[in-house]
């Protein structure tokens, strides 16, 4: 690991790679607009792994994306946006198998609602045989979101192969459970989720996801149960209440930051990216917690994600330095 807890010599670093499906988010162009309403929308590049790769790059890492796009105009838009953010797309596959998937978004009183148009989308058809093992072997970390395990058989196989390569080469495996509520009662889906958690070095679930995975309720018990499954680093996100990071028997509780949310899209992905960047820089746990919490908080202040709302390293460092994020450290064994 690199030392010092700062951006350091970026060019000398190993990359942080994300595997997944890119999408186009269609965001309402006016306040209170529903998906069923006619009216203007804003096109923005999206997809959990794409957001992660961009965030890792903007936060000081060498982000790379592994996936597949089509030859359609929206595929070119999304690829161009990631490339413009500095993400390495040298292993992005351009395919004739289909078009870019779409996600229409609406903001409801109870939260966001998505309607996906992505069945057999080109991005969902990435196969294990299409992964470049040599490229992956040169990474510091690889990351993938849990929704991919239920997307298609092809994508599931790609995720399994990614983990296999990473484990063979001693590369950090980062996993965001990203649990779909409708799949929580599906025994096969749960088994795949647990497989991913057990093979990950780093996991970043929400508190409710951590509770669902472990069957525990308190933060301390959830953290201890997740560590017992295998991950060495756990980050529990708690929306407006901040985040809790656990590593090596020590816990850092980052309090929530008083910022009015405009759009939470990408906040969890950005926090997970900040976590990998901070681990690569060997940040002390308290600073790492503040860094992750501030990165995730800055995302919610703007609509959209890639190319619109993701913060740069200087913005995050400035928020950390301001002291607005309070962090308390304690032994894991003492946390209830």
């Amino acid at each position: 690991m690199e030392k010092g807890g700062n951006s350091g010599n970026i060019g000398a670093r190993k990359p942080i790679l994300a595997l997944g499906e890119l999408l186009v988010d269609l965001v309402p162009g006016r306040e209170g607009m529903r998906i069923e309403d006619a009216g203007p929308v804003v096109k923005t590049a999206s997809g959990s792994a794409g957001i992660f790769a961009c965030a890792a790059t903007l936060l000081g890492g060498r982000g790379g994306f592994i996936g597949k796009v089509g030859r359609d105009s929206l595929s070119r838009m999304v690829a161009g946006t990631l490339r413009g953010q500095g993400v390495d797309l040298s292993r992005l596959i351009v395919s004739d198998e289909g078009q870019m998937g779409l996600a229409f978004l609406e903001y409801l009183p109870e939260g966001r609602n998505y309607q996906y148009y992505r069945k057999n989308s080109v991005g969902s058809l990435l196969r294990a045989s299409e992964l470049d093992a040599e490229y992956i072997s040169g990474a510091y970390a690889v990351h993938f979101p849990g929704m991919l395990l239920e997307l298609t058989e092809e994508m599931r196989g790609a995720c399994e192969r990614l983990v296999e390569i990473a484990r063979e080469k001693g590369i950090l495996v980062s996993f965001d459970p990203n649990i779909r509520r409708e799949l929580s009662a599906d025994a096969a889906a749960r088994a795949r989720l647990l497989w991913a958690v057990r093979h990950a070095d780093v996991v970043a679930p929400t508190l409710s996801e951590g509770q669902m995975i472990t069957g525990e309720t308190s933060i301390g018990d959830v953290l201890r149960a997740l560590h017992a499954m295998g991950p060495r680093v756990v980050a529990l996100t708690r929306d407006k209440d901040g985040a809790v990071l656990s590593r090596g028997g020590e816990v850092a509780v980052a309090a929530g930051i008083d910022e009015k949310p405009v759009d939470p899209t990408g906040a969890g992905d950005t926090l997970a990216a900040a976590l990998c960047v901070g681990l690569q820089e060997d940040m002390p746990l308290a600073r790492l917690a503040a860094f992750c919490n501030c990165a995730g908080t800055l995302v919610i202040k703007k609509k959209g994600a890639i190319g619109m709302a993701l913060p740069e390293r200087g913005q995050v460092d400035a928020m950390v330095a301001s002291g607005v994020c309070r962090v308390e450290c304690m032994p894991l064994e003492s946390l209830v």
Side-chain angles (χ1 to χ4, degrees), residues 166-180:
R167 301 296 286 187
E168 286 176 354
K169 300 298 183 179
I171 297 163
L172 196 77
V173 177
S174 168
F175 177 64
D176 177 357
N178 212 301
I179 297 173
R180 296 182 187 179

Side-chain angles (χ1 to χ4, degrees), residues 123-139:
S124 70
L125 299 177
L126 182 69
R127 297 171 178 82
S129 60
E130 294 174 310
L131 301 191
D132 185 334
E134 184 177 356
Y135 176 66
I136 295 167
S137 297

